[in-house]
Amino acid sequence: LEVLVTIINVNDNSPEFKETNLTKVVPEDTKVNATIVAREELSASDADLDTIFYQLTAAVPGTDGYFAIRGVNNPEIYLQKALDYEKFKWTTLALYARDRPVGSSEATNTATATIHVILEQADTRPPWFLPCTLLSTDSSICISSPYTGRVNISEQATEPLVLEPGPIYAVDPDYTLNEKIVYRLVGGDTDKVFSVDADTGNLTMNKPATSPDSYLLQVMATQVNNIQKYSIVTVEIKVINKSDHAPYFESRSYNGTVSVGLAPRSFVFKAGDPSSPLMITAADEDFPDV
């Protein structure tokens, strides 16, 4: 008597990862669709020889959607959305390996691998002139206001010019890199009246300004390690007549009268002359005709 025995494989083994804990350092400027973790590093095996089904989740809030797997049976992790170091600097991914599809009514064995992703800040932003205001729709852009200053006509200042809202100053917004920045005057000074210190950004005069016209200078801030990373700001220098005298009031005291119960914004009249509004006047010897 021949007896044919068929052994039915029982699903009594869980999938196994070669590595259950991985750490990957990912540059911020990694291209979308680039592979982050290769399939060979993440493929799980199953002693029951079952087909493995994979699922990837992000454990850190706010980091969903950046990383994905190539397919339900392909655990290769790739970048699905452009990274931004300002939004998050690290995340943890959980990769599940199942021997039955998600949602299957059959008994399912599961294995888990944890992938720690650390972002490395890249040189993605040009210098920012300070102070500046971040664009509400894009934190990589900071809008700076023009600098302004004044010089006296026909007079050469010996110290760096005082500017508003402050001295010319730019920073590398990729702050973990903090690349060195140099300054250069690139426009608006055909007469070569001004110079910019390459290291400090201080604006000085080479000679007096002889024209009453304002100067609209363009100053460039450039990263030393990459000349393609630069920004340009406008510096308006107004040329004014020198003031040798302080203004003064034409009278040492002024006296006026008001009536009780007057409406707001009513005139105050001269004391002793109720028909003439009280006027306070000042003069300046630098401007005798004004």
Side-chain angles (χ1 to χ4, degrees):
L1 177 64
E2 285 188 7
V3 179
L4 181 63
V5 177
T6 301
I7 299 175
I8 299 175
N9 190 17
V10 176
N11 185 21
D12 55 354
N13 292 285
S14 295
E16 292 184 358
F17 286 104
K18 290 186 294 184
E19 296 285 344
T20 58
N21 216 302
L22 296 173
T23 299
K24 293 291 179 181
V25 177
V26 181
E28 179 188 10
D29 57 353
T30 299
K31 301 296 184 184
V32 171
N33 207 42
T35 297
I36 304 301
V37 188
R39 179 174 185 170
E40 293 74 23
E41 293 184 77
L42 292 174
S43 293
S45 59
D46 190 336
D48 297 320
L49 303 180
D50 290 320
T51 300
I52 305 297
F53 299 88
Y54 297 95
Q55 182 183 17
L56 184 70
T57 62
V60 178
T63 62
D64 293 330
Y66 286 91
F67 302 95
I69 54 175
R70 296 290 183 186
V72 68
N73 301 120
N74 182 354
E76 179 177 290
I77 298 176
Y78 71 98
L79 184 63
Q80 187 172 239
K81 187 167 65 171
L83 298 170
D84 187 343
Y85 191 80
E86 297 301 319
K87 292 183 178 179
F88 71 95
K89 298 170 178 58
W90 63 274
T91 187
T92 300
L93 307 175
L95 180 65
Y96 300 99
R98 297 184 174 87
D99 54 15
R100 295 292 184 271
V102 176
S104 173
S105 59
E106 299 181 61
T108 304
N109 297 307
T110 305
T112 305
T114 302
I115 301 95
H116 304 280
V117 178
I118 300 172
L119 267 63
E120 181 179 65
Q121 188 168 32
D123 191 5
T124 58
R125 297 175 176 86
W128 288 351
F129 282 98
L130 299 182
C132 66
T133 304
L134 286 172
L135 198 64
S136 59
T137 56
D138 189 344
S139 62
S140 67
I141 300 174
C142 202
I143 307 300
S144 59
S145 300
Y147 295 95
T148 59
R150 297 185 304 173
V151 296
N152 294 324
I153 193 168
S154 301
E155 182 177 299
Q156 180 179 348
T158 57
E159 298 293 328
L161 301 185
V162 177
L163 304 176
E164 294 291 340
I168 297 171
Y169 181 59
V171 297
D172 180 5
D174 300 311
Y175 54 87
T176 62
L177 303 177
N178 196 26
E179 299 293 349
K180 179 177 172 58
I181 291 172
V182 293
Y183 304 90
R184 187 157 59 101
L185 189 58
V186 295
D189 186 22
T190 55
D191 297 331
K192 307 297 182 185
V193 174
F194 302 96
S195 291
V196 171
D197 187 281
D199 294 317
T200 66
N202 285 337
L203 186 66
T204 56
M205 298 185 73
N206 301 320
K207 58 184 179 180
T210 57
S211 169
D213 297 331
S214 296
Y215 290 85
L216 210 58
L217 310 175
Q218 287 83 48
V219 176
M220 175 186 285
T222 309
Q223 288 184 196
V224 171
N225 70 324
N226 186 350
I227 61 174
Q228 294 182 341
K229 291 287 190 304
Y230 68 89
S231 293
I232 295 177
V233 74
T234 299
V235 183
E236 183 182 9
I237 302 297
K238 296 178 180 179
V239 181
I240 62 173
N241 290 319
K242 184 177 180 179
S243 178
D244 293 318
H245 304 88
Y248 60 91
F249 289 106
E250 293 183 323
S251 176
R252 294 180 62 86
S253 65
Y254 294 85
N255 298 302
T257 59
V258 294
S259 300
V260 175
L262 281 179
R265 304 181 69 84
S266 296
F267 282 117
V268 176
F269 293 94
K270 287 182 179 180
D273 186 359
S275 62
S276 299
L278 178 64
M279 298 182 65
I280 298 174
T281 57
D284 190 329
E285 292 181 12
D286 291 312
F287 304 96
D289 299 327
V290 177

